[in-house]
Amino acid sequence: MKKVKAGLALSLVLAAGTILGACGSDNAEKAGGDGKKSNFKVGMVTDTGGVDDKSFNQSAWEGLQAFGKKHGLEEGTGYKYLQSTKADDYQPNLSKFVEANYDLTFGIGFLMEDDIQKAAEQNPKANFALVDSILTDAKGNPVTLDNVAAITFKEHVGSFLVGVAAAKQTKTNKVGFIGGVDSPLIKKFESGFKAGVKSVNPKAEVVVQYAGDFNAPEKGSSIAATMYEQGADIIYHAAGGTGNGVFTEAKNRKKKGQDVWVIGVDRDQHEEGMPENVTLTSMIKRVDVAVQEVTQEAMDGKFPGGKEVVFGLEEDGVGIAPTKDNLTEDTLKAVDEYQQKILKGEIKVPATDDEYKEFESTLK
């Protein structure tokens, strides 16, 4: 009997060793030497503007590419994007990443809010990040889901700074703003821009029009043509792919000797204005930085689910583009002065129509 028990005990020890070895092997496969998951997978779903919109989606993808290269992930397996050509593509594209067991899926743009919420509720073990919006219910009340991180920016603050630049450099005392879809998000760009312009020159005129689309460059060109014809010499666009048409119109006019400018958005759009050199400056919105930071937190096991992650001046999330060739020293000085006032809390930049009206009343 003793021999049998001893043999059984030895067998159990060996079996336990085998099980522990298998677990160790499995853990080693899932994590690198630093404890981070080595087979981490992250994806993003574009909105209808497309990954090459030279703006918002492109910046997000550049952030994902930078993260993938930093961690040695393979494009197409470790990180990838799915293009949405229409709103009906959002849900199936999100589902594809869930089905492929991706660790994190980004929904790029506030238009994806409902689809992200639906996907998250149906797949509580899958993590999602919604860029440019928080989740809300039918009445507009905030909704918190532990598997969704909301990434937002202080676009109104960055827009204020390019508004200061526009006010300093307009020669006609008239500037324009072209928005994509009329929404609370784009209203932040509009309100901040108008406030920046009016802070420097209360008598300057700001004309505003929305295209109703983020992917209609022909509309952007048409609206820009009307604004330039009416005397605006600088136009700020917050319209995604529609904004490409604004650049086209400005370049065509520059070829004819007209002194007109465009203020880009989301990323440094200096190259979009070349070779005619029509980009005055750009309001950079570091979607790429936000994507990298939130993805890193997810990989480190610190995914900010259920939280709103906000990027402003303090986080280097918004500001004036690094290309400053077309801005005068006087303009740069003014921009810096106003930026310091904002950081010190001396100026509260408006983000809505109502806040702007209140702000404007203080300037009179």
Side-chain angles (χ1 to χ4, degrees), residues 113-114 117 133-143:
E113 178 188 331
D114 291 342
Q117 184 167 335
S133 182
I134 62 172
L135 299 181
T136 57
D137 60 20
K139 295 182 179 179
N141 299 312
V143 172

Side-chain angles (χ1 to χ4, degrees), residues 104 106 129 149 151 289-298 303-304 309:
L104 175 61
F106 285 89
I151 301 172
V289 170
V291 165
Q292 290 181 70
E293 288 191 13
V294 172
T295 306
Q296 185 66 58
E297 291 182 351
F303 177 65
V309 188

Side-chain angles (χ1 to χ4, degrees), residues 41-328:
K41 296 191 295 184
V42 55
M44 69 170 249
V45 176
T46 75
D47 72 3
T48 54
V51 77
D52 56 352
D53 61 356
K54 298 181 175 65
S55 184
F56 186 74
N57 289 285
Q58 186 167 331
S59 181
W61 176 235
E62 287 171 353
L64 212 57
Q65 287 177 305
F67 178 86
K69 292 174 182 176
K70 177 181 178 181
H71 292 282
L73 303 180
E74 289 291 329
E75 182 175 343
T77 53
Y79 66 99
K80 67 182 291 186
Y81 73 88
L82 290 176
Q83 183 105 348
S84 301
T85 57
K86 56 185 183 302
D88 288 344
D89 293 336
Y90 297 156
Q91 197 63 46
N93 280 341
L94 292 169
S95 296
K96 287 176 184 176
F97 284 120
V98 173
E99 292 164 2
N101 294 316
Y102 270 62
D103 297 278
L104 175 61
T105 301
F106 285 89
I108 309 302
F110 72 93
L111 294 174
M112 228 171 291
E113 178 188 331
D114 291 342
D115 294 286
I116 284 282
Q117 184 167 335
K118 181 179 179 181
E121 289 174 343
Q122 293 178 344
N123 303 279
K125 293 184 179 180
N127 286 333
F128 300 89
L130 174 61
V131 177
D132 256 2
S133 182
I134 62 172
L135 299 181
T136 57
D137 60 20
K139 295 182 179 179
N141 299 312
V143 172
T144 299
L145 295 178
D146 291 338
N147 60 333
V148 179
I151 301 172
T152 60
F153 298 82
K154 295 181 180 179
E155 296 93 349
H156 52 303
V157 175
S159 298
F160 182 99
L161 297 179
V162 295
V164 169
K168 293 293 291 183
Q169 297 202 204
T170 179
K171 295 178 181 178
T172 63
N173 218 32
K174 187 174 185 178
V175 298
F177 173 82
I178 297 177
V181 174
D182 191 343
S183 61
L185 172 65
I186 307 303
K187 281 293 181 183
K188 290 170 70 177
F189 290 85
E190 178 195 333
S191 299
F193 178 67
K194 291 190 297 186
V197 172
K198 295 288 187 175
S199 291
V200 174
N201 185 356
K203 295 182 180 180
E205 182 181 357
V206 184
V207 291
V208 176
Q209 188 169 341
Y210 283 81
D213 200 322
F214 285 116
N215 192 31
E218 68 286 351
K219 287 186 179 179
S221 181
S222 176
I223 295 171
T226 300
M227 287 186 176
Y228 287 134
E229 287 294 333
Q230 293 175 344
D233 59 346
I234 300 171
I235 295 175
Y236 174 39
H237 89 87
T242 298
N244 295 337
V246 181
F247 281 101
T248 299
E249 183 64 26
K251 289 194 284 187
N252 287 338
R253 288 175 178 269
K254 201 77 167 230
K255 290 175 184 177
K256 298 175 182 177
Q258 295 184 36
D259 191 19
V260 296
W261 297 95
V262 182
I263 295 178
V265 75
D266 293 338
R267 56 197 294 275
D268 190 340
Q269 293 196 303
H270 177 71
E271 288 302 317
E272 272 51 74
M274 300 303 286
E276 291 79 13
N277 191 25
V278 299
T279 307
L280 181 65
T281 184
S282 300
M283 194 289 279
I284 57 170
K285 175 177 167 181
R286 298 304 302 272
V287 183
D288 56 336
V289 170
V291 165
Q292 290 181 70
E293 288 191 13
V294 172
T295 306
Q296 185 66 58
E297 291 182 351
M299 176 180 267
D300 293 343
K302 301 175 182 178
F303 177 65
K307 299 179 181 178
E308 179 183 3
V309 188
V310 183
F311 290 84
L313 279 179
E314 299 86 346
E315 297 80 16
D316 195 28
V318 296
I320 287 245
T323 303
K324 299 180 173 66
D325 300 359
N326 293 322
L327 298 177
T328 66

Side-chain angles (χ1 to χ4, degrees), residues 13-55:
V13 170
L14 291 173
T18 301
I19 292 171
L20 289 172
C23 290
S25 174
D26 184 56
N27 289 335
E29 185 178 312
K30 289 186 177 180
D34 55 2
K36 296 177 181 177
K37 195 170 179 182
S38 60
N39 62 342
F40 186 87
K41 296 191 295 184
V42 55
M44 69 170 249
V45 176
T46 75
D47 72 3
T48 54
V51 77
D52 56 352
D53 61 356
K54 298 181 175 65
S55 184

